Amino acid sequence: MVEIRLRNSRTRSVVPLEPTVEPGRVKMYVCGPTVYDRAHLGNARPVIVFDVLYRLLRHVYGEGNVTYARNFTDVDDRINATALARKDAGAPGTLEDLIAERSAETIAWYHADMDALGNLRPDHEPRATDFIGQMIAMIADLIAKGHAYEKEGHVLFRVRSYAEYGKLSGRSVDDMIAGARVEVAPFKEDPMDFVLWKPSTDDLPGWDSPWGRGRPGWHIECSAMAHELLGQSFDIHGGGNDLLFPHHENEIAQSACAHPEGDFARIWMHNEMLQVEGKKMSKSLGNFFTVRDLLDQGVPGEVIRFVFLGTHYSKPMDWTEKKRSDMERALVGFFRVTHGIEPADVPPKSFVALLANDLNTPAAIAKLHELQREGDFAELKAAMSVLGLPSAEEVSWWQGARRFNSVLDSPEFALRLNELANRWQDLRIQRDFASADHLKQRAEAAGIKLWVSAGGANVEAGPDFDPAKLEGLL
């Protein structure tokens, strides 16, 4: 069996995946979205990263031997605020009805957008509101063991009761207090203590508990859901690195104290954040957009996915228009040579080995190009599937319906340029370099530039482009 090695944030090293809780079976939990609005582009990164890992695990261990859980947080002030605004605007129904309606609406949006990016649905998609009983039981257990306390209707976790607190983020409790903004409240014994349960007013969602009507804190939700679905020990816990502290640090503390006989998660994986054209995505900078924005602009979901896979998950990713264009062209090349080809029964072992080495998707993509160059189209098609890319037969845009070059506004000319680039690339794949060079020289005489990048063949019509000469090239 292929050995999978993954970067463990807790040990700060790449370690072998060794599913010893249930040998031969892998369990993975990934923190999902808070369902108050459309998923922005950055929200898609952990979904794609852990979807590729899920596919790899299923390939190595078998589909029936992998369990993947990703939650929906449907208890949140932002959901409440949206529902209140709708109620104030005259929407019919109780506030509870409007909250449930908003959550269901947003989950449906999320599913549609993530499906469009080629992601498989997890085996479990728990909603926080369906596990309130388990959260209350876990909180009561923490109080009984001295790790939590109730004051003024709040229940808080006693951070200093867990000696290992801070090991994930690599900071001591005192350093955290000195270097971070923490909520100071009269009901806290220590500034670092965090909320497990808080009171709800009559006009907001709430559940009866031993500490009064209230609702859970954010951190306890994932601990309770992960324990209920995966047990006290499981193999992988994932999410964006923005969750490393305090969310995942707090998850570890409360889970380890509630279930000291277990390991909770053996490996902690975190993907880095996303930028747009070299800058942090921000509404104030005008570079903030959702996945749906891109889809509605006509960017295919598989192109978005492919751009994401071009950067290792542990590195910051920069979304640029050039990357989108380059990766779209690369996909066109892959689709063109695999159309109508029966995929190999299994992808090449060398390709799987690259993914198994800490999910090295950039190296895996380089392997796709190598398979294309060598004419191993059946293996190329099988390898693409492991990355979650569709087959050429499942999509049609690549056949020329989309613009190939932003310089031209005419879809007809864009299509013809696409055909020219494809022919030139075909000659190169066939190693007929003399014919390829001759075609390139004739294209340059017509004002058309042809070149190769990591994304495949590129074409651009310059200012001296003569459309009349294009027909003679094809």
Side-chain angles (χ1 to χ4, degrees):
M1 180 180 291
V2 176
E3 181 184 67
I4 297 176
R5 296 176 60 82
L6 301 170
R7 189 178 308 272
N8 189 350
S9 300
R10 197 168 190 180
T11 63
R12 293 161 185 79
S13 62
V14 177
V15 300
L17 173 64
E18 298 173 335
T20 55
V21 179
E22 294 184 43
R25 296 181 59 86
V26 181
K27 297 180 180 180
M28 176 170 69
Y29 186 94
V30 174
C31 288
T34 300
V35 287
Y36 68 95
D37 208 344
R38 287 277 190 187
H40 62 68
L41 192 61
N43 296 145
R45 193 173 194 200
V47 181
I48 293 173
V49 166
F50 292 102
D51 180 72
V52 173
L53 178 56
Y54 182 41
R55 290 171 182 273
L56 174 65
L57 292 171
R58 282 158 56 106
H59 173 74
V60 172
Y61 290 91
E63 292 185 11
N65 293 318
V66 182
T67 303
Y68 174 20
R70 186 185 66 219
N71 72 292
F72 287 115
T73 294
D74 57 350
V75 184
D76 186 80
D77 289 338
R78 291 165 292 187
I79 302 172
N80 298 341
T82 300
L84 282 168
R86 288 185 173 184
K87 186 173 180 63
D88 292 343
T94 64
L95 179 61
E96 187 176 85
D97 292 336
L98 293 173
I99 289 173
E101 179 184 290
R102 178 60 172 179
S103 296
E105 176 184 49
T106 311
I107 288 172
W109 288 345
Y110 186 83
H111 275 148
D113 293 348
M114 296 306 114
D115 289 353
L117 302 186
N119 297 297
L120 299 172
R121 300 277 181 95
D123 300 291
H124 300 287
E125 293 186 286
R127 299 189 188 192
T129 52
D130 292 334
F131 291 79
I132 300 297
Q134 289 88 338
M135 297 174 202
I136 290 173
M138 192 173 190
I139 293 169
D141 183 52
L142 287 168
I143 292 175
K145 291 175 177 174
H147 295 293
Y149 57 95
E150 186 272 335
K151 191 170 183 181
E152 298 180 21
H154 294 76
V155 180
L156 296 106
F157 183 84
R158 190 174 277 119
V159 166
R160 293 185 189 271
S161 73
Y162 179 56
E164 298 293 304
Y165 193 86
K167 289 296 180 66
L168 180 66
S169 55
R171 293 177 287 180
S172 71
V173 175
D174 290 330
D175 286 342
M176 292 178 195
I177 294 175
R181 291 177 295 177
V182 295
E183 180 187 1
V184 178
F187 49 79
K188 284 188 175 186
E189 290 180 357
D190 188 289
M192 286 301 296
D193 293 349
F194 59 87
V195 171
L196 300 174
W197 188 264
K198 56 187 175 183
S200 286
T201 58
D202 292 340
D203 61 333
L204 290 176
W207 292 263
D208 292 332
S209 80
W211 319 287
R213 184 176 180 276
R215 50 195 168 125
W218 175 34
H219 312 301
I220 196 68
E221 296 175 13
C222 287
S223 284
M225 288 186 282
H227 179 265
E228 181 71 15
L229 296 171
L230 303 180
Q232 63 189 15
S233 300
F234 55 94
D235 303 290
I236 302 167
H237 194 311
N241 71 347
D242 57 326
L243 300 180
L244 194 149
F245 181 84
H247 185 51
H248 288 167
E249 193 80 75
N250 292 351
E251 271 193 75
I252 291 173
Q254 62 203 8
S255 294
C257 291
H259 307 288
E261 66 281 6
D263 296 320
F264 194 40
R266 301 281 182 85
I267 294 177
W268 287 81
M269 290 180 66
H270 294 91
N271 63 273
E272 262 285 357
M273 294 295 100
L274 174 140
Q275 297 178 322
V276 176
E277 300 290 351
K279 298 179 180 178
K280 182 178 179 180
M281 191 165 66
S282 167
K283 290 181 179 179
S284 63
L285 294 176
N287 65 349
F288 180 95
F289 47 90
T290 66
V291 172
R292 181 52 50 179
D293 289 335
L294 284 180
L295 294 171
D296 287 347
Q297 291 167 18
V299 181
E302 49 271 18
V303 171
I304 299 172
R305 182 184 187 88
F306 204 35
V307 173
F308 276 59
L309 298 182
T311 302
H312 193 272
Y313 76 88
S314 67
K315 305 295 184 183
M317 184 202 139
D318 192 15
W319 174 276
T320 68
E321 178 58 25
K322 184 179 186 305
K323 283 184 182 178
R324 184 211 61 77
S325 179
D326 287 348
M327 297 307 262
E328 181 173 321
R329 283 192 282 267
L331 272 182
V332 168
F334 295 156
F335 289 149
R336 178 171 44 76
V337 298
T338 58
H339 185 256
I341 299 290
E342 188 71 22
D345 292 336
V346 294
K349 291 182 179 179
S350 56
F351 170 83
V352 175
L354 292 169
L355 280 183
N357 182 22
D358 194 26
L359 217 61
N360 194 340
T361 53
I365 290 174
K367 182 64 178 181
L368 297 185
H369 286 290
E370 179 184 318
L371 293 170
Q372 181 190 34
R373 289 193 301 270
E374 295 178 352
D376 297 326
F377 302 143
E379 291 191 339
L380 169 60
K381 198 166 190 174
M384 290 172 65
S385 179
V386 177
L387 289 177
L389 298 169
S391 66
E393 295 78 15
E394 294 177 283
V395 292
S396 60
W397 59 265
W398 65 273
Q399 296 178 6
R402 294 178 51 78
R403 288 175 58 184
F404 192 73
N405 174 32
S406 60
V407 173
L408 298 176
D409 290 326
S410 167
E412 179 182 352
F413 283 141
L415 173 59
R416 304 303 279 171
L417 283 180
N418 191 1
E419 293 175 355
L420 175 64
N422 289 345
R423 176 167 298 185
W424 182 60
Q425 183 74 336
D426 282 338
L427 291 170
R428 291 175 56 81
I429 291 171
Q430 296 164 13
R431 299 187 178 278
D432 187 355
F433 296 115
S435 297
D437 290 345
H438 181 60
L439 179 59
K440 182 179 181 181
Q441 291 169 4
R442 293 170 59 209
E444 289 176 347
I448 301 169
K449 180 183 178 183
L450 289 166
W451 77 100
V452 175
S453 69
N458 296 275
V459 63
E460 181 176 283
D464 57 343
F465 169 57
D466 183 355
K469 295 182 180 179
L470 181 57
E471 291 299 322
L473 297 172
L474 296 170

